[in-house]
Amino acid sequence: MKSGLIAALVAALPTFAFAAPTSYPLTIENCGRSVTFENAPQKIVSIGQGMTEVLYSLGLADKVAGTAVWVGPVLSPYAGVDAKIKRLADNDPSFESVVSLEPDLVAAEFEWHVGPMGSVGKREQFSDLGINTYVSPADCVAKTNVDGGDGVRNELFKMDLIYREITELSKIFDVEDKGAALIADLKQREAAAVASIKGVELKNLPIVFWYSSKETKGDAFIAGKNSAPAYILETIGARNVVTTEEEWPLVGWETIAEANPSVIVVATMDRRRYAADDPAVKIKFLETDPVVRQLDAVRKKRFVMMDAQSMNPTIRTIEGIETLARGIQSFGLAN
């Protein structure tokens, strides 16, 4: 009888399908290029905080020789390992500094760093030296990057592009089980965030995402209609006040005032490239400008402080959904 009970319990346990080992050589179609890996890369230079955090999340920190382009602190579970890895630059590294580490893979978050007009280098420059390159699909699928800026996104960004990145990187490095587990966790968190405000009618709630501004009182970098913040808004059922396909168009505050957003999502970051990078500067402007301080969001102090990386197409976009959902609840807008 006991053996029968044990057999029944074993049969009730969940079964897991483990991925087969990667078969090399492996060819990946990546942002218009075929990239072939003879084996798993052993030394990576990661350009872009979002890319670096994906690599860390896949357990690949020991293969990362150097990083660059940081907006804020690394995800807290990886603070220890990140502190031991060479940071080439907080912003764009030089081509020479990247190749000096002799990587066999340069992984980039954005095409403006590694791409046709790459500020760090073109993909051909790296391949001529025998260095493979990989660029996040989130920055090239249904997106045009022709001017070195934030580009134009022709379709709404979806987390499927980040899941594709995770899947491809986990295949390249033969850690597919870790990739599948990471994707499952992100999907579960997204579902939980959406469930926290389930049944709430938010489709007419106008919300604006303010990343930064070159000049504090000048035009603001506001999330476009197909950006990662637009995905956050669609996921929770709210409305973006911007209708342009540019990823982060510069928008005048008079235009924003006409839309009169109910909530302003303010990017927080350690970066200090532009005048309004500092979130305290943003809040001071919102509360003192004679026009902007009349907005509903400002009068009612409906500010959601959100890590800037959550506004980029990264694994932190899920954190952005969680953050905005909590903000909407705290303002009583979910009632």
Side-chain angles (χ1 to χ4, degrees):
M1 183 174 179
K2 185 180 290 186
S3 61
L5 177 60
I6 292 174
L9 289 172
V10 170
L13 291 173
T15 58
F16 298 93
F18 293 97
T22 299
S23 178
Y24 299 100
L26 170 70
T27 298
I28 296 286
E29 295 299 321
N30 175 243
C31 292
R33 292 176 66 94
S34 293
V35 185
T36 299
F37 298 88
E38 298 298 332
N39 44 52
Q42 297 302 305
K43 187 184 286 188
I44 317 161
V45 170
S46 179
I47 302 174
Q49 183 173 347
M51 176 62 70
T52 301
E53 291 178 342
V54 169
L55 294 170
Y56 289 171
S57 298
L58 290 173
L60 300 170
D62 62 326
K63 297 181 183 295
V64 179
T67 69
V69 186
W70 289 85
V71 177
V74 69
L75 284 169
S76 56
Y78 310 112
V81 294
D82 181 70
K84 300 175 183 177
I85 296 173
K86 185 178 181 64
R87 183 169 295 195
L88 299 176
D90 287 336
N91 295 307
D92 297 12
S94 67
F95 178 79
E96 293 74 18
S97 69
V98 173
V99 300
S100 70
L101 295 182
E102 300 181 341
D104 47 7
L105 174 65
V106 173
E109 184 176 348
F110 300 113
E111 270 196 326
W112 79 57
H113 292 129
V114 178
M117 302 179 68
S119 62
V120 178
K122 297 180 179 180
R123 299 184 77 168
E124 294 81 4
Q125 290 178 272
F126 290 107
S127 62
D128 287 347
L129 297 175
I131 302 171
N132 268 338
T133 53
Y134 178 88
V135 179
S136 173
D139 200 52
C140 62
V141 175
K143 186 170 185 281
T144 304
N145 303 299
V146 294
D147 60 359
D150 294 313
V152 175
R153 196 174 291 276
N154 305 314
E155 297 176 3
L156 178 67
F157 162 80
K158 294 184 181 299
M159 280 299 294
D160 288 347
L161 292 175
I162 299 300
Y163 300 149
R164 174 176 167 181
E165 174 184 335
I166 294 169
T167 299
E168 290 177 346
L169 287 171
S170 63
K171 184 75 171 177
I172 291 167
F173 288 95
D174 195 16
V175 291
E176 287 187 88
D177 291 332
K178 290 182 179 178
L182 176 58
I183 292 170
D185 177 65
L186 292 170
K187 287 183 175 180
Q188 186 278 328
R189 287 173 55 194
E190 177 173 346
V194 172
S196 72
I197 52 174
K198 186 177 181 180
V200 178
E201 185 62 45
L202 297 174
K203 68 180 181 181
N204 290 319
L205 186 72
I207 298 178
V208 64
F209 282 72
W210 181 16
Y211 198 90
S212 189
S213 303
K214 294 180 179 179
E215 301 296 335
T216 305
K217 296 183 179 181
D219 292 353
F221 287 110
I222 302 297
K225 65 178 285 188
N226 292 326
S227 60
Y231 173 79
I232 293 173
L233 292 175
E234 180 178 84
T235 301
I236 68 170
R239 176 169 63 88
N240 194 356
V241 303
V242 176
T243 58
T244 178
E245 291 184 339
E246 290 179 70
E247 186 91 357
W248 287 99
L250 279 168
V251 181
W253 282 102
E254 295 81 3
T255 300
I256 298 170
E258 289 177 8
N260 193 23
S262 295
V263 176
I264 298 177
V265 185
V266 175
T268 65
M269 64 186 83
D270 287 352
R271 190 192 76 175
R272 294 294 182 265
R273 178 183 295 179
Y274 293 135
D277 280 355
D278 186 342
V281 170
K282 293 186 180 78
I283 297 298
K284 182 179 179 180
F285 166 75
L286 292 172
E287 294 182 333
T288 59
D289 182 85
V291 174
V292 178
R293 69 186 182 189
Q294 303 302 321
L295 301 182
D296 283 352
V298 180
R299 288 188 299 102
K300 298 176 182 179
K301 296 188 181 298
R302 290 177 179 161
F303 306 134
V304 173
M305 311 305 288
M306 182 179 292
D307 189 291
Q309 274 299 91
S310 297
M311 297 187 184
N312 285 328
T314 67
I315 57 176
R316 290 209 198 187
T317 303
I318 300 300
E319 184 179 303
I321 298 172
E322 295 168 333
T323 300
L324 185 54
R326 286 194 300 269
I328 288 172
Q329 290 175 316
S330 70
F331 300 143
L333 296 173
N335 296 330

